[in-house]
Amino acid sequence: MKEQVIERLIRYAKIDTESNPESLTTPSTEKQFDLLNVLKTELEEIGLTEVTLDENGYLFATLPANTDKEVPTIGFLAHVDTSPDFSGKNVKPRRIDNYDGGDIQLNDELTMSPGYFPNLNNYVGQTLITTDGTTLLGADDKAGIAEIVTAMEYLVQHPEIKHGKLRVAFTPDEEIGRGPHKFDVKAFGADYAYTMDGGPLGELQFESFNAAGVKVTTRGTSVHPGSAKGKMVNAITLAIKFQNSMPVDAVPEKTEGYEGFIHLMSFNGHIEEAKLSYIIRDHDREKFEAKKAHFLEVEKMVKEKFGEDAITVEIEDQYYNMREKIEPVKEIVDIAYKAMENLEISPIVEPVRGGTDGSQLSYMGLPTPNIFAGGENMHGKFEFVSGETMEKASQVILEIVQLFEAQGK
């Protein structure tokens, strides 16, 4: 199984599927269909049924039940797009067998060292797939895709493994927060689902951030600087004052675990107008609402001093903590936990400090925890994944479906 999942990841990683947050289409980039069409053919060839790919880039498929028991329909999901944070074009995956624990020469100029990336120490003796140092790898989430396809193929080839009806979904635009926006939960028809989109071995997540995006626009008046006294209003200066009113320590580089943050993503402008883009994240709903309220309080103060037209703050909620929707059916987390224990994997239950399609899907009526897919150092040139971890992720899928079947009536 390890060789199958590695071969798939390497093949998928070479297909450019980078998403684009500036695009208004779904999927945001047409090239995501390049991988989706490959996957559609592959799912049909390995024996899945009801394989459909719609115009928005949602690929669904079914592995029919082979048990007489009443068993919930379980879905497994992964996303085809890669992050726009770093280039996903012309990816050249490198395979390192029996990693010796030393520095990894990605190319003539770039080295990945366990001194800087101590997580490499967890993979001595394993097979690593890395970048060539010029692109990301795309294990987020092509590793998850490879794990799901490999598990489904194994189940087709081993009908002695009993399971209920299984559904597979490969989706677009997760990296830009739009993965579930046109996901047809009713058509998918699963009772519960799991995203194979986590990080290192053992990750199991059913809590996510509450999330919002904020766009701030400041407006000024441009006057020749030689005669500007008492007349000029500098939108850039207003924007800087606004940013300086944000909490100093509630930023990504100073937070971890359950600590929320306010993250300035971009800042650009000129004297007449400046624009700032933020994201707000917090697991606690009250603290999340307080962070949003702080933006509005600062907006009010700027308007009182410089006028109503001086600033506009637009806040848009993106998703909420999926724990609220998963706790009532916590048995789906318990089954994944048990599946890992059965495979001698130590489960690491921790909150998601990032986006996951499960957050939105859970509020759309499909409770969806997140399971490790194996990627490390994601969204950059130092990204890598272990073949052994990907194999174990496929095995977790197999164990989950058997545990659900064993509980059937």
Side-chain angles (χ1 to χ4, degrees), residues 323-390:
R323 177 173 185 159
E324 179 181 332
K325 299 298 181 181
I326 292 178
E327 278 198 322
V329 289
K330 181 85 168 359
E331 62 269 19
I332 65 177
V333 178
D334 297 338
I335 283 178
Y337 193 101
K338 179 64 174 174
M340 292 186 196
E341 286 188 325
N342 289 353
L343 295 166
E344 298 183 344
I345 298 169
S346 298
I348 304 170
V349 180
E350 60 183 15
V352 179
R353 286 186 63 82
T356 172
D357 282 347
S359 300
Q360 296 177 60
L361 289 170
S362 293
Y363 279 85
M364 293 165 65
L366 181 61
T368 308
N370 190 42
I371 292 173
F372 70 91
E376 296 260 24
N377 301 344
M378 293 179 280
H379 295 194
K381 58 192 174 186
F382 295 107
E383 185 181 4
F384 70 91
V385 68
S386 154
E388 284 78 0
T389 299
M390 289 193 294

Side-chain angles (χ1 to χ4, degrees), residues 21-308:
E22 303 303 319
S23 170
L24 300 178
T25 63
T26 304
S28 63
T29 51
E30 189 70 18
K31 59 190 174 183
Q32 292 181 61
F33 277 111
D34 294 344
L35 178 54
L36 287 163
N37 285 316
V38 167
L39 293 171
K40 181 177 185 293
T41 299
E42 193 165 347
L43 293 176
E44 291 168 341
E45 288 177 346
I46 68 174
L48 269 60
T49 64
E50 301 176 324
V51 182
T52 61
L53 174 59
D54 70 17
E55 69 276 10
N56 295 310
Y58 292 84
L59 175 59
F60 293 172
T62 297
L63 181 59
N66 65 356
T67 179
D68 294 329
K69 293 181 180 179
E70 291 185 12
V71 181
T73 298
I74 306 301
F76 293 94
L77 292 77
H79 62 89
V80 299
D81 67 311
T82 61
S83 171
D85 291 349
F86 206 76
S87 174
K89 184 178 181 180
N90 199 25
V91 174
K92 297 183 180 71
R94 297 185 59 232
R95 174 173 175 154
I96 300 169
D97 289 301
N98 193 24
Y99 170 56
D100 63 8
D103 290 354
I104 298 174
Q105 198 73 34
L106 299 178
N107 57 42
D108 291 342
E109 301 177 351
L110 194 65
T111 299
M112 181 164 58
S113 169
Y116 193 84
F117 297 107
N119 48 344
L120 281 167
N121 295 318
N122 299 324
Y123 299 99
V124 175
Q126 298 188 27
T127 302
L128 300 186
I129 311 302
T130 75
T131 75
D132 71 346
T134 62
T135 68
L136 49 66
L137 177 61
D140 179 13
D141 189 26
K142 291 169 183 175
I145 297 171
E147 292 153 8
I148 293 170
V149 176
T150 299
M152 294 302 112
E153 181 181 50
Y154 190 89
L155 288 169
V156 170
Q157 295 174 347
H158 294 81
E160 70 276 10
I161 299 176
K162 299 302 179 183
H163 57 82
K165 181 179 179 180
L166 304 178
R167 289 283 275 166
V168 168
F170 298 134
T171 61
D173 292 339
E174 188 271 352
E175 295 291 0
I176 58 175
R178 302 184 207 159
H181 282 194
K182 296 186 179 180
F183 190 104
D184 191 333
V185 170
K186 184 177 180 181
F188 189 56
D191 296 295
Y192 314 114
Y194 299 90
T195 47
M196 304 299 297
D197 193 21
L201 180 69
E203 277 194 356
L204 174 58
Q205 299 157 324
F206 68 98
E207 298 177 79
S208 63
F209 280 133
N210 297 288
V214 185
K215 295 186 182 301
V216 178
T217 303
T218 59
R219 300 176 188 87
T221 302
S222 180
V223 179
H224 189 285
S227 57
K229 185 175 182 180
K231 304 171 187 175
M232 177 186 286
V233 177
N234 192 327
I236 300 172
T237 304
L238 282 182
I240 292 171
K241 288 180 178 179
F242 186 92
Q243 166 58 16
N244 288 341
S245 298
M246 293 295 110
V248 175
D249 294 322
V251 292
E253 59 268 35
K254 295 183 179 181
T255 54
E256 62 184 355
Y258 284 95
E259 296 171 330
F261 57 78
I262 293 171
H263 182 30
L264 177 62
M265 300 281 287
S266 66
F267 184 155
N268 58 78
H270 45 81
I271 294 170
E272 285 280 336
E273 184 177 86
K275 292 182 179 292
L276 304 92
S277 176
Y278 294 87
I279 60 172
I280 301 172
R281 300 290 187 264
D282 208 300
H283 294 94
D284 184 281
R285 188 62 176 264
E286 289 188 7
K287 293 179 180 178
F288 172 64
E289 296 297 337
K291 286 179 171 63
K292 291 195 295 181
H294 181 69
F295 274 83
L296 299 178
E297 289 167 5
V298 178
E299 178 192 32
K300 182 180 178 182
M301 288 188 293
V302 172
K303 286 184 174 181
E304 288 174 350
K305 186 170 183 179
F306 295 98
E308 283 292 318

